[in-house]
Amino acid sequence: MFRRVFLSALVAGVLGGVVISAVQSVTTTPLILHAETFETASAAHAAPAPPAATGSSRLAVHDHAGHDHAAPDHAAHDHGDGWAPADGIERLFYTTMANILVGFGFALLIAGGFALSGRQVDAGEGVLWGIAGFAVFTLAPGLGLPPELPGTAAAELVARQGWWLLTVAATAAGLALIVFRGSILGTVLGLLVIVFPHVLGAPHPHELTNAVPAELGAQFAAASIVTSAAFWVLLGWLTGTGYNRLGAIDAIGLARAATE
C-alpha cells in the first residue's frame, strides 16, 4: 500500500509541477515581474537620501543600494543581504522545483486519502478529490486572503498564517462531515464548521497603502485562482490514474503468486 501511495504521488507531483510551471510562466509570473517594478520604485522613492560619503564608506552605501534593488522581499530591503533567482531560466528552474515539491506533498495527501477511504479509485474519482483539495487549500482561504502581489499591503504574517491554517483545517473537516457522514446532521455541522473561520474574519492591514495598482492585483488574484484550480484538477487526475493502475498491477501480482 505504501508503494502504491508513494509512487502515484511522486509521478503526479513531478508531472503536475512541470505542467503548472509552464502555465504559470504565461499567466502569473509576468504579473509578478510587473508588480516587482512598482515595489522597487516605491521602495526607492520612500528610502531617505544617503548622507554624503567619501572613500570606502561611499562604496558601502552604493553596494547596499544595489542589494536593495536585487532583492524582492522586505527583509532583503532592510538588510541588503537577500537573494533571489535571476529572471529567465534560473527563476523558471527554481519555480519548477518548488512546484514539484508542493505537488508531491499535495498528491501524497490525495493518495493517502484514497487509501484511508477504502473506495474504488479511478481518474474521475481523483478529479473529485482534486476539486476538494482546491476548495480546501485555495478557494476557502482565498475568500478572506486572496492571492497578493509583491508590494501589496497585508496584515501581520503570523495572524495571516494562523487564519489560513484554521480555514484549511475547518474546510477539510467540514467537507469530510458532508461527504463521509452522508446525513442531514453531518451536512449541517459541516457547513457550520466551514463557515466558522469566515465569521471570525481574516486579518487585514489597518492602512491600505499599496504600491501596486488595484487592477493588477485583481488580475493576479483571478489568474492565481484559475491556475490553482487547473493544478488541483490535474493533480487529482494524475494521482487517481496512477493509484488505479498501480492497484491493478498489484492485484495481478497477487493473483500470479496465489496460482504458483
Side-chain angles (χ1 to χ4, degrees):
M1 181 61 69
F2 174 79
R3 170 182 170 273
R4 187 179 179 187
V5 169
F6 181 83
L7 289 180
S8 60
L10 180 61
V11 173
V14 172
L15 294 179
V18 170
V19 171
I20 209 62
S21 297
V23 174
Q24 287 176 339
S25 67
V26 296
T27 55
T28 57
T29 299
L31 298 175
I32 293 173
L33 295 176
H34 191 189
E36 286 176 351
T37 62
F38 288 99
E39 183 187 30
T40 301
S42 176
H45 179 73
T54 59
S56 60
S57 60
R58 178 174 296 177
L59 291 176
V61 171
H62 177 74
D63 182 67
H64 178 76
H67 282 288
D68 282 349
H69 286 286
D73 57 75
H74 295 291
H77 282 250
D78 292 337
H79 302 290
D81 57 357
W83 176 87
D87 294 339
I89 298 299
E90 184 177 349
R91 186 165 190 156
L92 178 61
F93 171 77
Y94 283 105
T95 299
T96 302
M97 291 299 102
N99 284 335
I100 288 174
L101 289 175
V102 170
F104 174 58
F106 283 146
L108 274 178
L109 291 177
I110 294 175
F114 292 161
L116 292 175
S117 69
R119 295 187 176 190
Q120 183 67 30
V121 175
D122 55 14
E125 183 77 9
V127 168
L128 294 178
W129 280 77
I131 294 173
F134 167 71
V136 169
F137 289 97
T138 301
L139 185 60
L143 293 176
L145 295 175
E148 297 173 343
L149 283 167
T152 303
E156 183 183 6
L157 178 61
V158 175
R160 285 183 288 135
Q161 289 177 333
W163 188 86
W164 188 90
L165 290 172
L166 173 63
T167 304
V168 167
T171 306
L175 286 178
L177 286 171
I178 294 172
V179 174
F180 296 114
R181 286 294 297 268
S183 64
I184 296 177
L185 179 60
T187 300
V188 173
L189 288 176
L191 291 174
L192 290 175
V193 171
I194 290 173
V195 170
F196 174 70
H198 303 281
V199 174
L200 291 180
H204 293 288
H206 298 294
E207 297 182 3
L208 297 177
T209 55
N210 295 335
V212 179
E215 294 82 359
L216 187 62
Q219 185 180 357
F220 175 76
S224 295
I225 292 174
V226 172
T227 301
S228 179
F231 177 58
W232 275 104
V233 169
L234 176 63
L235 206 61
W237 179 76
L238 289 170
T239 307
T241 301
Y243 191 86
N244 178 269
R245 292 185 178 180
L246 286 171
I249 292 173
D250 290 343
I252 293 173
L254 290 174
R256 288 178 176 177
T259 57
E260 293 178 354

